[in-house]
C-alpha cells in the first residue's frame, strides 16, 4: 500500500505555468501536449503546501531569514540520502542553481577565461558562460552505445590550455547518467592537478533509481572538496521550481567567503520567504514521498521504454539512471527539422529539441515522463502513431 497518489490529473493551464501556458510562445501552438520543461505534473505534496498556506494566513510578507533548523534539515538530508557528511556552515543559499553558476563565474573568473562544459548538456550552462563573456571550452561527451562517457584525454588538453573552471552536471541532464565514483575521481584529480575550480550542478541528485547511487563529487576526497561548489535544490524533486530556492555547499572557507561576497554584492542572498519554508518542509518530511515518487517514475520509465522499443524499434533510447527525462535519438526518422515538424504537426506533442543542448545533441529530443502514467501513455501513443512505419 502506498501513502501518496501520483495518478491525480492536474489542470495546470491558466496558472502562468511555463510548460502549459507558454506553449504558443515556444512552439507556436497551444494545441500541443507538453512533455518539455523539466518540472513534473505531480501535486506539490501536502506536507509542503500546508505550512505555506499557514504562513500565507499571516497578513505580512516582509523580509525573511533562515533559522538554524533550515540548515539542519539540509545537512540531515544529505547524510540520509547520499551518506554525505556536511556542516551547516558550509551551506549558502541562492535563488537558483543557474544563478549560483553565474555567481561562481563572476566571483572566480575574469573575462575570456576558459570554462569547461560537457555537451550535450543543460543549455543555460552555455548562456551563463557566453553572457558573462567567458570562453566556452567544450569537452563533448563520447557516446558509447546508448550512454555517454567523459572524454578525459580531451578534458586534460583543455586543462593544459588553461581552463579555470569546470561546470559538471551530475546526474546528467539530458543523458540521465549517474556518474560513477571512478569517473568523478579521475575528472576531479585532473581539476586538482591543473587548479580548476569545480562547479557541480547536482540538482537532479535526489531523483536516482534504486540500482544507482548518487555520489557528490565533493564527497570523494578532501582535495577535490576543497575546490568544489556543489549546487543543489529541492525544486526538481518536490515540484517547487517556481519558488526559486536552492543552496550551495562548499567546505573551503576561503572560497565560500568569496562566493558569498559576490552574492551579497548582487544582493541576491536574502532568499524567498515562501521558498525557504517549502525547502525546510520538503527535507524535513519528504523521505517516504520521494521513495514512492521514484517507484512511480521507475514504472513510467520502464513501461515507456518497453513500449517504444516494441513499437518504434528504430528509435535509440538512453535508459535514464536518474531524473524523469528520456533522451531519444530520432536520427533514423530524418533530420532534426523534419522530426521537429512531425512532432509538432503530426504527433502534436512538445519535446525539447536536442541541438539546444549543444554539440552532440542534434537528432535527439527529450521527453519528460514526470507526469501521471495516463498522461505519459497519451503522449507516447501520439508519438507512436506518427512515427510507426
Ligand atoms: C541540470 C539543471 N540545472 C539547473 C536547472 C535549473 O535550476 P534553477 O531553476 O534552480 O536555476 C535545471 C532545470 O531544468 C537543470 O536540469
Amino acid at each position: 500500500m502506498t501513502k501518496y497518489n501520483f495518478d491525480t490529473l492536474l489542470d495546470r493551464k491558466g496558472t502562468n505555468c511555463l510548460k502549459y501556458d507558454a506553449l504558443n510562445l515556444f512552439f507556436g501552438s497551444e494545441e500541443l501536449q507538453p512533455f518539455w520543461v523539466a518540472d513534473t505534473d505531480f501535486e506539490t505534496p501536502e506536507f509542503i503546501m500546508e505550512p505555506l498556506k499557514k504562513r500565507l494566513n499571516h497578513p505580512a510578507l516582509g523580509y525573511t531569514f533562515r533559522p538554524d533548523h533550515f540548515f539542519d534539515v539540509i545537512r540531515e538530508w544529505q547524510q540520509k540520502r547520499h551518506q554525505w557528511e556536511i556542516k551547516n556552515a558550509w551551506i549558502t543559499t541562492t535563488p537558483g542553481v543557474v544563478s549560483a553558476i553565474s555567481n561562481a563565474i563572476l566571483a572566480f573568473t575574469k573575462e575570456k577565461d576558459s570554462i569547461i562544459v560537457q555537451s550535450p548538456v543543460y543549455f543555460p550552462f552555455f548562456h551563463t558562460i557566453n553572457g558573462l563573456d567567458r570562453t566556452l571550452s567544450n569537452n563533448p561527451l563520447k557516446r558509447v552505445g546508448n550512454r555517454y562517457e567523459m572524454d578525459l584525454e580531451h578534458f586534460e588538453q583543455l586543462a593544459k590550455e588553461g581552463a579555470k573552471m569546470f561546470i559538471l552536471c551530475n546526474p546528467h541532464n539530458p543523458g540521465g547518467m549517474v556518474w560513477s565514483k571512478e569517473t568523478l575521481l579521475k575528472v576531479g584529480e585532473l581539476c586538482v592537478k591543473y587548479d580548476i575550480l569545480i562547479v557541480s550542478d547536482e540538482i537532479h541528485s535526489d531523483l536516482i533509481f534504486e540500482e544507482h547511487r548518487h555520489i557528490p563529487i565533493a564527497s570523494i576526497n578532501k582535495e577535490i572538496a576543497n575546490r568544489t561548489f556543489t549546487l543543489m535544490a529541492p525544486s526538481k524533486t518536490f515540484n517547487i521550481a517556481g519558488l526559486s530556492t536552492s543552496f550551495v555547499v562548499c567546505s573551503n572557507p576561503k572560497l565560500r567567503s568569496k562566493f558569498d561576497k559576490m552574492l551579497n554584492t548582487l544582493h541576491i542572498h536574502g532568499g524567498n520567504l515562501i521558498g525557504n519554508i517549502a525547502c525546510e518542509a520538503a527535507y524535513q518530511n519528504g523521505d517516504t514521498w520521494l521513495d514512492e515518487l521514484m517507484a512511480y517514475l521507475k514504472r513510467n520509465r520502464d513501461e515507456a521504454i518497453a513500449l517504444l522499443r516494441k513499437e518504434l524499434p528504430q528509435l535509440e533510447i538512453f535508459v535514464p539512471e536518474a531524473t524523469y527525462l528520456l533522451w531519444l535519438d530520432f536520427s533514423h526518422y530524418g533530420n532534426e527539422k523534419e522530426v521537429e515538424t512531425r512532432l509538432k504537426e503530426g504527433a502534436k506533442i512538445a519535446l525539447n529539441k536536442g541541438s539546444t543542448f549543444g554539440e552532440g545533441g542534434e537528432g535527439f529530443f527529450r521527453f519528460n515522463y514526470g507526469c501521471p502514467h495516463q498522461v505519459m501513455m497519451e503522449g507516447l501513443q501520439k508519438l507512436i502513431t506518427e512515427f510507426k512505419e
Side-chain angles (χ1 to χ4, degrees):
M1 243 319 253
T2 53
K3 186 168 169 194
Y4 298 101
N5 175 10
F6 297 95
D7 284 323
T8 308
L9 301 180
L10 286 188
D11 182 4
R12 301 181 69 191
K13 282 190 190 149
T15 61
N16 294 345
C17 161
L18 185 64
K19 193 189 246 169
Y20 286 82
D21 293 325
L23 277 169
N24 206 13
L25 202 61
F26 286 88
F27 292 87
S29 165
E30 279 171 18
E31 304 308 317
L32 310 182
Q33 191 174 6
F35 297 93
W36 62 304
V37 178
D39 68 12
T40 69
D41 288 338
F42 302 124
E43 290 174 323
T44 301
E46 192 52 30
F47 56 82
I48 296 177
M49 295 303 281
E50 206 257 342
L52 293 187
K53 288 176 193 160
K54 189 166 159 218
R55 179 61 186 83
L56 289 174
N57 280 334
H58 190 283
L61 301 175
Y63 286 121
T64 187
F65 90 112
R66 302 169 196 88
D68 288 345
H69 188 251
F70 175 90
F71 299 94
D72 291 341
V73 293
I74 292 178
R75 175 176 44 76
E76 285 161 12
W77 183 264
Q78 295 310 319
Q79 208 285 327
K80 268 188 301 196
R81 305 293 306 192
H82 309 307
Q83 296 75 54
W84 187 29
E85 303 290 341
I86 62 170
K87 296 200 164 76
N88 288 18
W90 298 358
I91 307 168
T92 296
T93 51
T94 50
V97 163
V98 179
S99 52
I101 295 174
S102 295
N103 194 72
I105 293 176
L106 282 170
F108 296 101
T109 64
K110 49 184 198 323
E111 276 189 23
K112 306 284 174 258
D113 275 354
S114 151
I115 301 179
I116 301 177
V117 296
Q118 298 174 313
S119 78
V121 75
Y122 179 59
F123 40 88
F125 288 9
F126 311 137
H127 304 162
T128 56
I129 297 169
N130 293 332
L132 294 170
D133 294 321
R134 272 54 172 179
T135 305
L136 197 153
S137 288
N138 193 21
N139 170 225
L141 294 169
K142 285 191 297 195
R143 181 169 176 177
V144 180
N146 283 341
R147 203 177 181 282
Y148 292 119
E149 285 179 10
M150 291 189 193
D151 182 347
L152 293 171
E153 259 176 50
H154 180 246
F155 189 99
E156 181 155 20
Q157 199 181 311
L158 296 176
K160 278 187 188 153
E161 287 165 11
K164 297 283 183 266
M165 183 181 277
F166 166 41
I167 308 178
L168 168 68
C169 192
N170 182 31
H172 184 260
N173 171 13
M177 293 86 59
V178 175
W179 294 115
S180 69
K181 187 167 184 182
E182 196 194 357
T183 298
L184 293 171
L185 177 63
K186 283 186 188 155
V187 79
E189 279 174 343
L190 288 175
C191 292
V192 172
K193 183 170 171 194
Y194 293 97
D195 194 18
I196 294 173
L197 193 80
I198 303 171
V199 175
S200 185
D201 177 339
E202 303 188 10
I203 195 169
H204 293 279
S205 58
D206 291 324
L207 299 163
I208 306 285
F209 293 111
E210 60 192 4
E211 59 277 25
H212 300 279
R213 198 189 136 209
H214 174 70
I215 300 172
I217 192 168
S219 70
I220 290 202
N221 65 39
K222 204 156 178 211
E223 272 186 307
I224 294 175
N226 252 330
R227 58 182 55 254
T228 300
F229 285 94
T230 306
L231 282 35
M232 293 175 155
S235 51
K236 300 280 163 202
T237 318
F238 297 98
N239 207 17
I240 50 175
L243 300 182
S244 293
T245 299
S246 67
F247 61 94
V248 172
V249 181
C250 177
S251 58
N252 180 329
K254 265 201 189 147
L255 293 185
R256 214 170 49 232
S257 112
K258 210 167 167 190
F259 183 91
D260 286 348
K261 190 173 164 201
M262 182 57 72
L263 267 187
N264 291 343
T265 308
L266 297 172
H267 210 72
I268 52 172
H269 59 295
N272 172 316
L273 165 71
I274 297 298
N276 289 344
I277 294 170
C279 178
E280 198 174 325
Y283 292 140
Q284 170 86 49
N285 302 304
D287 277 296
T288 309
W289 187 87
L290 178 54
D291 291 342
E292 292 189 10
L293 172 74
M294 290 316 296
Y296 192 91
L297 289 176
K298 188 172 193 298
R299 177 179 158 230
N300 269 10
R301 179 195 70 172
D302 293 347
E303 288 194 17
I305 292 173
L307 185 66
L308 290 172
R309 279 188 179 148
K310 179 165 163 270
E311 301 291 347
L312 303 178
Q314 313 287 1
L315 192 66
E316 297 284 340
I317 305 170
F318 280 41
V319 178
E321 299 162 0
T323 82
Y324 38 75
L325 306 168
L326 207 47
W327 190 230
L328 302 171
D329 180 356
F330 279 83
S331 307
H332 169 80
Y333 298 92
N335 66 33
E336 188 173 78
K337 189 80 213 129
E338 287 159 357
V339 175
E340 187 183 21
T341 306
R342 289 180 73 182
L343 286 168
K344 272 207 280 200
E345 293 173 14
K348 297 200 183 308
I349 55 177
L351 311 190
N352 291 83
K353 183 161 68 172
S355 60
T356 51
F357 296 82
E359 186 183 332
E362 189 142 345
F364 286 82
F365 284 80
R366 196 188 71 177
F367 182 100
N368 176 348
Y369 60 91
C371 55
H373 183 259
Q374 182 186 329
V375 175
M376 177 188 82
M377 293 308 278
E378 279 170 32
L380 292 176
Q381 281 308 340
K382 291 179 192 171
L383 185 72
I384 289 165
T385 307
E386 173 60 29
F387 287 91
K388 198 168 164 113
E389 285 162 350

